[in-house]
Amino acid sequence: MHSLQIEDLQKAYGDTVVVSGLNLTVGQGEMVALLGPSGCGKSTTLRMVAGFVEPTAGKILLNGVDISHMPPHRRDTGMVFQSYALFPHMSVAANVGFGLEMRRVPKPERSARVAAALDMVRLTNLADRMPRQLSGGQQQRVALARALAVNPALLLLDEPLSNLDAKLRAEVQHEIRSLQQRLGLTTLIVTHDQEEALTMADRLVVMEGGRIRQAGTPRELYESPSDTFVAGFVGRCNLIEGSCEGAGIFRTTNGTLLPCNAAASPLKDAVLAIRPEHLALAPADAALGPQASRARITGATYLGSQTEYRLDLGGTRLIVMSSMSAPNSGHRVISEGDPVTVTWPTSAARVLPRT
């Protein structure tokens, strides 16, 4: 059962098309993340679903009901804004109950639902505080409680964690996902943070230029990107320009031959995509097998359990995530300027058409 259906949705401002022919379904209890760079149309799409932006064309169906032109308060949705949008002159409880008051819910029921929502986000003891007396994480949870209090059929999250520091972001991210799964909330979230989307969502929808480039599970998009835009946007990826010479052979623009997973058919204008964690380093004196290449370390950044190495492989720049310099790894420390041998599984080197 699809809780949310978006059909041929479009938004244009004069001659500028912001969202074009977008089709998307979100299943009951599913969390779907709209992911993409600034200006790709993801926030406009969310605001059309919420009712704050009028579509130029297309339909938005919620549980089979066309809500395309309904006002926001009649859409049975709850929204958490990037800025939280809390009323500074209202207490936490009053902020959480505002949506219920606008829906003319009787006061006794309103009070009970506010209390339940605050309990869900663990803020019961702060009900009488003002927003200015709260931390950023607490304000974010008040905004979430306000959205949950109306018992929405669809929860909408617009960059909900962007104003939090890294540690707090990870904690609140887990809280939102846990709450969403426990309540079975159908959720559409907008983010530009790849890690946030990979961690929280059941499915990702990568947008660019107002269109969907690829949709699928986090694993599908990370391991099997459809093009170089998706490969470069979802996680980190080495993108090497060149041509596919035939089965398993890729020639870089500098003429270096590299192993790949390509079939026999050649592709003259192509890109080889390899994730940094799939590359393995060995000392330069290691035996050079058919899948190995010589390279030189041009830089290294220590990250604790791993080190990020920057390599020059015949004029091609690569990034490698390796544990060679980690404490107790058993490997000698390699430094900038050192020669190394680099290998990768052929299956991990995907040949993609140039975007």
Side-chain angles (χ1 to χ4, degrees):
M1 176 182 175
H2 296 309
S3 185
L4 174 67
Q5 291 176 270
I6 299 174
E7 301 176 356
D8 296 320
L9 194 63
Q10 180 171 320
K11 180 60 185 179
Y13 295 99
D15 295 332
T16 303
V17 178
V18 181
V19 176
S20 177
L22 191 141
N23 291 278
L24 176 66
T25 59
V26 181
Q28 181 67 44
E30 185 180 29
M31 178 181 277
V32 171
L34 299 181
L35 179 67
S38 297
C40 71
K42 59 187 186 296
S43 289
T44 301
T45 299
L46 191 80
R47 289 175 179 273
M48 283 192 282
V49 174
F52 300 118
V53 173
E54 185 77 8
T56 303
K59 285 184 178 181
I60 303 167
L61 306 174
L62 184 57
N63 292 329
V65 178
D66 189 345
I67 63 170
S68 307
H69 304 287
M70 282 185 184
H73 66 276
R74 292 186 55 204
R75 293 197 175 204
D76 200 10
T77 61
M79 185 160 180
V80 177
F81 297 89
Q82 181 177 358
S83 61
Y84 313 141
L86 301 179
F87 297 109
H89 63 287
M90 290 184 180
S91 68
V92 165
N95 266 283
V96 174
F98 181 77
L100 298 171
E101 188 175 351
M102 292 299 98
R103 287 167 171 78
R104 305 188 181 216
V105 174
K107 190 171 182 180
E109 182 184 349
R110 191 162 73 232
S111 298
R113 287 168 66 173
V114 167
L118 287 174
D119 182 60
M120 276 189 268
V121 298
R122 297 182 289 112
L123 289 179
T124 301
N125 60 329
L126 302 181
D128 297 325
R129 292 224 187 149
M130 305 301 282
R132 65 178 179 275
Q133 298 173 303
L134 306 178
S135 68
Q138 289 169 335
Q139 289 184 44
Q140 195 276 345
R141 282 151 60 194
V142 172
L144 180 60
R146 181 175 59 189
L148 296 176
V150 298
N151 294 331
L154 176 65
L155 179 63
L156 304 172
L157 305 172
D158 187 9
E159 302 273 9
L161 309 179
S162 61
N163 292 329
L164 305 179
D165 62 60
K167 184 176 184 297
L168 189 56
R169 187 183 304 128
E171 292 175 1
V172 178
Q173 176 179 298
H174 174 74
E175 287 181 2
I176 291 177
R177 179 57 166 160
S178 177
L179 191 61
Q180 180 265 334
Q181 289 180 311
R182 180 159 53 87
L183 299 177
L185 285 169
T186 305
T187 305
L188 187 63
I189 180 173
V190 159
T191 180
H192 66 275
D193 189 306
Q194 307 150 34
E195 183 178 341
E196 185 178 303
L198 287 167
T199 303
M200 295 180 70
D202 297 300
R203 278 191 301 133
L204 307 183
V205 177
V206 177
M207 295 182 64
E208 192 263 338
R211 297 177 180 274
I212 294 176
R213 296 300 292 259
Q214 188 177 357
T217 66
R219 182 179 294 276
E220 287 169 349
L221 267 65
Y222 189 83
E223 296 184 358
S224 303
S226 61
D227 57 36
T228 55
F229 178 84
V230 176
F233 195 82
V234 179
R236 303 184 70 184
C237 194
N238 293 293
L239 300 174
I240 307 168
E241 296 184 353
S243 59
C244 178
E245 301 286 305
I249 302 174
F250 185 88
R251 184 184 296 275
T252 71
T253 53
N254 297 316
T256 305
L257 295 179
L258 302 175
C260 66
N261 71 345
S265 56
L267 184 61
K268 293 301 178 186
D269 198 12
V271 174
L272 188 66
I274 316 172
R275 299 290 182 186
E277 66 271 19
H278 290 153
L279 281 74
L281 298 180
D285 55 6
L288 190 65
Q291 305 297 320
S293 302
R294 299 289 193 214
R296 183 175 59 85
I297 302 292
T298 60
T301 303
Y302 179 68
L303 300 174
S305 62
Q306 289 188 314
T307 299
E308 177 188 289
Y309 293 104
R310 294 174 290 285
L311 273 64
D312 179 6
L313 192 161
T316 297
R317 295 179 180 180
L318 295 176
I319 294 176
V320 181
M321 298 300 294
S322 173
S323 59
M324 281 191 69
S325 292
N328 306 317
S329 65
H331 296 290
R332 68 177 180 85
V333 175
I334 54 177
S335 307
E336 184 174 345
D338 287 355
V340 290
T341 298
V342 59
T343 60
W344 57 82
T346 301
S347 59
R350 297 178 57 83
V351 175
L352 301 172
R354 188 191 300 271
T355 302

